[in-house]
Amino acid sequence: MFNIIISLCEKHGFLRKIASSGLNSAQLKVGPIGTLLQCNLTKEWHYSFVTNKENTVFLADNSSFIEAFQFARNICMERLPFGIAEIQKNKSELSKNNIMCKEVDFNNCFSNEDKVNLKCSMFVSSVNSTQFYHQWQRERRIWWRKFSPNPGRYSITDIKTDENNIQTVQIMATYPWNSQLVETISLHPKPKEAIIEASKFKEGKKIVQSHCVISNISLNAMFMNTICDAYDESNYKGNMRTLLRFHRKIAPYSITFAIFAEGVASNRSELKDLALYLTKQLRSNHLSTLLLPSSSKLPLEVQWRHYDELGVPYSVLLNEKTLKDGLVLLRSRDTTLKEQVHVTELVAYMEQLFKNY
């Protein structure tokens, strides 16, 4: 099944293969559609770890962790908790710990120069670190499940403690071929050696030692996991339908258009102009919209198949009736059902759909 998913992703621009000498050594590059998906995943990671965190988290440059730590320590007046988030290039920490994925390793599908690690280090009081660590595990598993069409596939391993008293758990995603590591969460009782002199903080009138809770996510593994998690096959009108059930918040494209006009050519031209106008309106409202020349030339079933395999959550059907009463048909990728929406209300309605998770 994994090879089937890779072929589908190559066909639709999520991936491109640059070498193939067996399953383990196949090297992949992210394609143009895949780049949009990666951007959305990184944005949601940033929102979860930096923007929407209860505690203050600072985003550090790839090579300036210590400087960011010293800045955070000073601006927080030497009080805990606070965090440092990093987007590290050419890191492969997750793959070193992944002893379960012997056949397919999401992170190792890509060359080393393409690897990116998303890391967040939270500095908390030693008194509260264990409670914080367990709470963070629950929150992170909920986060993975929130974006998944198959939330039951995510589980947390037992805690393992090494000789340095570092506690580690892994969030795993289970697939028919094997289990995949998607995130590692660890509790470090001692900070990095470079900042050990500045590891004591104020808590009321007391001086406390800081502990560090660290989350590690490979962007490449998250990208591949998102695609494989979204892949689905279902029966539709007696035929097998292949689709990618991306969550609407991370799908590369939020909405696309299909035009169906059997009458005079002028009607088709008007519908194409309307589709272009609506596309501009949707894009100006920060909704990623796909408008292709094929939207007025290919049969509808062919277009639906293409958009479903791209993972587009919603498609707008414009037909000759639209020119008369202003009604469009909004098709759902997941249910294939269509609902009527007036053209003047489409942009506001789509904004509302994508506003919430």
Side-chain angles (χ1 to χ4, degrees):
M1 181 182 288
F2 182 73
N3 287 332
I4 295 175
I5 297 174
I6 294 298
S7 298
L8 179 70
C9 291
E10 285 187 279
K11 175 183 175 183
H12 292 294
F14 289 94
L15 294 167
R16 58 186 180 92
K17 196 175 293 184
I18 59 174
S20 181
S21 56
L23 189 61
N24 291 329
S25 59
Q27 294 294 298
L28 301 171
K29 286 275 190 180
V30 178
I33 306 298
T35 301
L36 292 175
L37 177 60
Q38 273 199 340
C39 288
N40 290 342
L41 290 170
T42 304
K43 182 172 69 174
E44 289 302 325
W45 171 86
H46 184 276
Y47 178 78
S48 174
F49 278 99
V50 181
T51 307
N52 197 38
K53 206 69 180 161
E54 290 184 5
N55 306 308
T56 302
V57 178
F58 302 92
L59 187 61
D61 182 74
N62 190 31
S63 59
S64 61
F65 177 86
I66 302 303
E67 290 83 350
F69 173 83
Q70 295 293 354
F71 171 81
R73 175 183 170 86
N74 293 334
I75 201 170
C76 292
M77 301 178 67
E78 300 184 3
R79 295 184 182 276
L80 298 168
F82 63 81
I84 308 295
E86 303 170 87
I87 301 177
Q88 303 173 325
K89 295 184 178 180
N90 301 322
K91 299 288 183 180
S92 56
E93 297 176 22
L94 290 180
S95 61
K96 296 177 183 178
N97 296 323
N98 190 0
I99 60 175
M100 299 180 66
C101 306
K102 297 178 180 179
E103 296 180 4
V104 177
D105 186 339
F106 287 162
N107 192 42
N108 288 333
C109 290
F110 300 86
S111 59
N112 288 329
E113 61 267 22
D114 293 328
K115 290 180 179 178
V116 177
N117 193 54
L118 306 176
K119 182 176 181 180
C120 184
S121 305
M122 290 297 304
F123 294 90
V124 297
S125 168
S126 56
V127 178
N128 304 319
S129 61
T130 301
Q131 179 183 351
F132 184 92
Y133 182 49
H134 289 286
Q135 179 182 347
W136 210 5
Q137 293 175 39
R138 292 191 295 270
E139 290 177 356
R140 293 306 303 151
R141 183 172 64 170
I142 290 172
W143 187 86
W144 285 99
R145 290 180 169 183
K146 176 174 64 177
F147 292 104
S148 172
N150 304 286
R153 76 166 74 250
Y154 294 94
S155 61
I156 299 180
T157 63
D158 295 331
I159 296 177
K160 295 182 179 180
T161 306
D162 65 11
E163 63 275 7
N164 296 318
N165 205 30
I166 298 175
Q167 299 180 38
T168 301
V169 298
Q170 297 176 332
I171 299 179
M172 309 295 296
T174 304
Y175 291 95
W177 52 87
N178 58 15
S179 293
Q180 294 289 334
L181 171 64
V182 293
E183 182 173 357
T184 300
I185 307 172
S186 54
L187 172 60
H188 297 248
K190 293 183 180 179
K192 292 183 178 181
E193 293 182 3
I195 59 176
I196 198 166
E197 295 299 326
S199 63
K200 296 185 183 298
F201 292 81
K202 298 176 183 178
E203 191 172 278
K205 295 182 179 180
K206 298 180 180 179
I207 302 297
V208 297
Q209 178 74 39
S210 70
H211 286 182
C212 188
V213 179
I214 299 176
S215 163
N216 270 304
I217 302 173
S218 164
L219 179 58
N220 302 108
M222 179 162 61
F223 171 76
M224 288 300 300
N225 175 74
T226 301
I227 291 174
C228 292
D229 186 32
Y231 181 82
D232 190 23
E233 295 177 351
S234 61
N235 190 285
Y236 177 66
K237 294 183 178 180
N239 298 316
M240 188 61 65
R241 182 173 75 116
T242 301
L243 70 158
L244 294 174
R245 296 186 187 273
F246 292 128
H247 190 283
R248 60 185 180 274
K249 277 289 190 177
I250 60 176
Y253 294 104
S254 305
I255 188 170
T256 189
F257 286 90
I259 298 172
F260 181 71
E262 294 181 316
V264 296
S266 60
N267 287 342
R268 182 168 300 178
S269 178
E270 285 186 57
L271 290 172
K272 289 170 66 175
D273 291 341
L274 177 60
L276 180 58
Y277 170 78
L278 291 172
T279 296
K280 292 179 179 179
Q281 291 294 311
L282 290 163
R283 288 175 179 173
S284 66
N285 285 272
H286 308 288
L287 289 171
S288 179
T289 308
L290 179 66
L291 178 60
L292 298 175
S294 59
S295 62
S296 62
K297 297 180 180 180
L298 296 177
L300 284 178
E301 290 302 324
V302 175
Q303 294 186 61
W304 299 148
R305 188 183 309 117
H306 183 202
Y307 299 146
D308 289 346
E309 292 179 355
L310 277 173
V312 184
Y314 297 99
S315 300
V316 176
L317 174 59
L318 305 177
N319 53 31
E320 291 169 325
K321 188 179 178 182
T322 304
L323 299 176
K324 297 177 181 179
D325 55 20
L327 293 175
V328 303
L329 294 176
L330 183 63
R331 177 186 182 270
S332 167
R333 171 203 62 203
D334 296 331
T335 66
T336 71
L337 298 177
K338 304 178 185 70
E339 60 178 312
Q340 289 186 340
V341 181
H342 197 274
V343 68
T344 59
E345 300 174 352
L346 179 65
V347 176
Y349 184 62
M350 294 308 301
E351 273 191 308
Q352 192 63 35
L353 283 176
F354 285 85
K355 181 179 181 180
N356 300 312
Y357 284 77

